[in-house]
Amino acid sequence: MRRLRKLASIYGRIAHTYWSKVASLLLLATVVFVPIGFLDALTTEVDVNSLDFNSSLHVLAVVGATAAITMTGLLGEVFFSGAVAVSLTNPKDEKAPPISAVARRLDYRRLILVDLAYVALVIVGLLLFLVPGILVFVWFGLSGPVVEIEGRTVLGALRRSASLVRHNFWLVFLVLGPVELVGDAVAELIAHLVHGLIGHSFFATWMAESASNVVVTPVFAVAAVLLTLDLIASKENADLEDASTLDSAPATA
């Protein structure tokens, strides 16, 4: 029951934070995901079945296309989570920083590299089997916020994310997993509506992919940032308690 209340509390905070920051989140998402939507559209427009390959090459092409779709689907999520971390971690008595201030504070190199590393790890996990891909998705899903909140390197952010998730796997899974799945369903609906309005041209696909990412990905980013902040605070409190216990323990000969 306690875990359910904690889970409900986190979802409530995600919804409240999203709606209270919706204008700045959507503006930032537009800047990030319109270019990525172009890549999504390029991937979507490729029809592997129409290519003239023999059977073995055709299988490889299908696998490559699946990997590319997964890559463009996840590309930007970790980067955007890092950007949202900058926006949400300003002092409480200050207004959210404008997008120009967020842009100046971002560590672009590290965020892009950690995003690419995360996507590559998820793709490898999915190609091995579904379960390793899910495990990678959860274990390293907090690496983007960690880069900006704690200033970690790419490898350090991946390790820190795994460390934070280690004793909280199911909590992170039950937050990020449903958010990702529901977000995919909403993204499909948005894409369907956009195609219904403006057709099925390359431009329509670009707009559909961009619009779905702009609306949906901020929810994932807010969830990842709030989880990261909570787990960092929880780990720091646990470390302080351990240190206090050691300090108060009687010395032994």
Side-chain angles (χ1 to χ4, degrees):
M1 186 61 69
R2 182 181 176 183
R3 291 181 178 179
L4 287 177
R5 286 198 298 267
K6 184 175 183 179
L7 196 60
S9 173
I10 291 175
Y11 274 112
R13 289 168 56 211
I14 292 170
H16 173 74
T17 303
Y18 180 86
W19 287 115
S20 64
K21 308 279 188 181
V22 64
S24 59
L25 288 172
L26 293 182
L27 178 60
L28 183 60
T30 300
V31 173
V32 172
F33 288 107
V34 168
I36 291 178
F38 183 82
L39 297 177
D40 288 347
L42 286 177
T43 304
T44 304
E45 289 294 303
V46 175
D47 183 6
V48 175
N49 292 321
S50 66
L51 300 178
D52 186 16
F53 290 136
N54 61 39
S55 58
S56 58
L57 289 178
H58 187 80
V59 170
L60 289 176
V62 171
V63 171
T66 302
I69 291 171
T70 303
M71 180 188 73
T72 55
L74 291 174
L75 194 64
E77 282 193 349
V78 173
F79 179 91
F80 188 72
S81 296
V84 171
V86 173
S87 180
L88 296 185
T89 54
N90 60 300
K92 293 183 179 180
D93 57 344
E94 295 182 7
K95 294 181 179 180
I99 190 171
S100 57
V102 173
R104 287 194 298 270
R105 288 178 56 186
L106 287 178
D107 190 332
Y108 290 94
R109 183 181 64 85
R110 288 183 182 178
L111 280 176
I112 290 172
L113 288 176
V114 80
D115 200 348
L116 293 174
Y118 176 70
V119 170
L121 288 170
V122 171
I123 289 174
V124 170
L126 291 175
L127 291 178
L128 290 175
F129 286 109
L130 180 63
V131 173
I134 294 174
L135 292 176
V136 170
F137 171 79
V138 175
W139 279 81
F140 302 119
L142 307 182
S143 52
V146 166
V147 168
E148 290 299 333
I149 294 171
E150 297 188 330
R152 303 263 178 171
T153 62
V154 174
L155 185 58
L158 294 171
R159 288 175 173 172
R160 179 61 163 169
S161 178
S163 175
L164 293 173
V165 173
R166 181 175 295 115
H167 299 296
N168 301 277
F169 178 85
W170 289 110
L171 174 65
V172 178
F173 174 79
L174 291 174
V175 173
L176 295 187
V179 167
E180 182 72 17
L181 291 176
V182 173
D184 287 344
V186 173
E188 287 291 331
L189 176 61
I190 293 172
H192 179 74
L193 292 174
V194 171
H195 283 300
L197 289 173
I198 59 177
H200 293 272
S201 63
F202 175 82
F203 177 77
T205 302
W206 180 13
M207 291 300 99
E209 297 293 334
S210 300
S212 59
N213 279 326
V214 167
V215 173
V216 169
T217 306
V219 182
F220 179 91
V222 168
V225 171
L226 293 181
L227 278 173
T228 304
L229 293 172
D230 284 357
L231 296 181
I232 288 174
S234 177
K235 190 170 181 61
E236 288 177 349
N237 289 336
D239 291 343
L240 288 174
E241 289 177 2
D242 290 342
S244 177
T245 301
L246 290 174
D247 290 340
S248 61
T252 58

